[in-house]
Amino acid sequence: MVVRDPVGTPGEPEGRMRPDETTVPVLPCVSAEETLAFYRALGFEVTYEQTRPYLYLAFRWSGFDLHFGRAPEGLDPALETSGGCLVMVDEVAPYHAELTRAMRAAYGKVLARGLPRITRHRPGASRFTLMDPSGNSVIFIRRDEPAEPEYGGSASLEGLARALDQVRIFREFKNDDEAAYRRANSALRRHGDGAPAADRALAYATLVELSVALGDGAKAQEWQAMLAGVELTDEERERVGAELANAEALRAWLGEDGGADRV
């Protein structure tokens, strides 16, 4: 395409490029039946459906579109590297709430492990991910999310506090609760004895929440018992209580038993 000024130059194509583009991701689809069932269950409108002579599906939800074509041969959805799409929004919490509501209505529960699934959304978090049956990730991101979050722990922190900041990255940006749990557990063993009581308590509370996320209620109780033995000021107790409240909210989101669906 040739960009020209409004007056134009002889011999150049008519018109000029304008910033009014619309982009639509075309993601790989391993199973048309499973993809149609999943997105319909969540309330997506099917705007185009074709399986022969070639596969092409199109969906619309709220103000954006997702399209799907045939997956390349040998694509393994379990690797969760099939494709991806970023959905930029002003606030992510309403989208998470609506998708959760639709998922409960369709499946009777939140699909929190395996494929398909939705990741949890902690209060104040700036993103969450919807994983579909083909291993595609649809990531809802708040527009004002920091452009360069610190991946690996803030340089202004030390010891256990720095490790807990790394845990935050694993949990909220990488959606890897297992890695977050291992990092928090390892840091507590390494730095716990010399760490301030408030940091140790926050580590215990973090491990309570991560245990709930991983479906290990027994471990969550163990960490809660260790937390109860830490002496804190009223201000510190309030800070730790906020983290425990996240664990209770997670239990409610996952269901009364507090356990995530197992693979």
Side-chain angles (χ1 to χ4, degrees):
M1 177 183 292
V2 177
V3 181
R4 48 172 275 188
D5 59 39
V7 176
T9 303
E12 288 189 341
E14 292 295 326
R16 61 181 299 177
M17 187 174 73
R18 300 181 185 279
D20 60 354
E21 302 86 358
T22 297
T23 62
V24 179
V26 180
L27 304 175
C29 174
V30 174
S31 167
E33 182 179 354
E34 291 182 4
T35 298
L36 285 164
F38 177 67
Y39 283 103
R40 276 177 170 146
L42 296 184
F44 282 69
E45 175 191 1
V46 179
T47 57
Y48 191 82
E49 178 181 347
Q50 175 181 296
T51 57
R52 294 177 182 276
Y54 60 88
L55 173 67
Y56 202 89
L57 306 175
F59 300 87
R60 185 168 183 80
W61 189 73
S62 187
F64 69 94
D65 297 272
L66 294 177
H67 290 196
F68 294 83
R70 181 74 62 188
E73 185 175 352
L75 179 68
D76 184 359
L79 297 177
E80 300 185 0
T81 57
S82 305
C85 169
L86 305 181
V87 183
M88 313 301 292
V89 298
D90 291 336
E91 294 291 340
V92 297
Y95 291 84
H96 191 266
E98 178 57 27
L99 289 170
T100 294
R101 184 205 61 75
M103 191 172 283
R104 286 190 190 280
Y107 298 100
K109 59 184 177 182
V110 174
L111 305 180
R113 301 289 303 278
L115 288 178
R117 73 174 182 276
I118 185 173
T119 63
R120 71 189 189 280
H121 177 256
R122 289 164 53 84
S126 58
R127 61 171 64 189
F128 71 91
T129 301
L130 182 70
M131 299 293 303
D132 77 6
S134 294
N136 296 303
S137 55
V138 181
I139 308 173
F140 291 78
I141 301 179
R142 197 177 65 212
R143 285 193 176 90
D144 64 352
E145 178 185 272
E148 297 183 2
E150 293 190 48
Y151 292 103
S154 172
S156 64
L157 300 173
E158 296 180 351
L160 186 55
R162 183 170 185 176
L164 290 176
D165 193 52
Q166 293 172 329
V167 168
R168 174 183 62 85
I169 296 300
F170 280 119
R171 179 174 56 191
E172 297 180 13
F173 288 89
K174 298 184 178 181
N175 292 319
D176 193 339
D177 289 326
E178 292 184 0
Y181 183 94
R182 290 195 301 269
R183 185 70 185 96
N185 193 16
S186 173
L188 192 56
R189 291 197 304 267
R190 182 178 178 184
H191 303 290
D193 290 343
D199 287 348
R200 282 189 289 111
L202 191 59
Y204 290 139
T206 297
L207 285 162
V208 169
E209 196 241 14
L210 288 169
S211 296
V212 172
L214 294 170
D216 194 338
K219 267 296 181 185
Q221 292 180 356
E222 288 181 22
W223 292 120
Q224 184 112 25
M226 297 181 74
L227 172 59
V230 181
E231 293 187 8
L232 299 170
T233 66
D234 290 342
E235 182 178 351
E236 292 168 342
R237 196 172 302 282
E238 182 176 350
R239 180 187 176 198
V240 173
E243 185 65 28
L244 286 178
N246 289 333
E248 290 304 313
L250 178 57
R251 285 191 177 98
W253 182 68
L254 292 170
E256 292 183 357
D257 60 358
D261 301 325
R262 298 186 182 275
V263 178

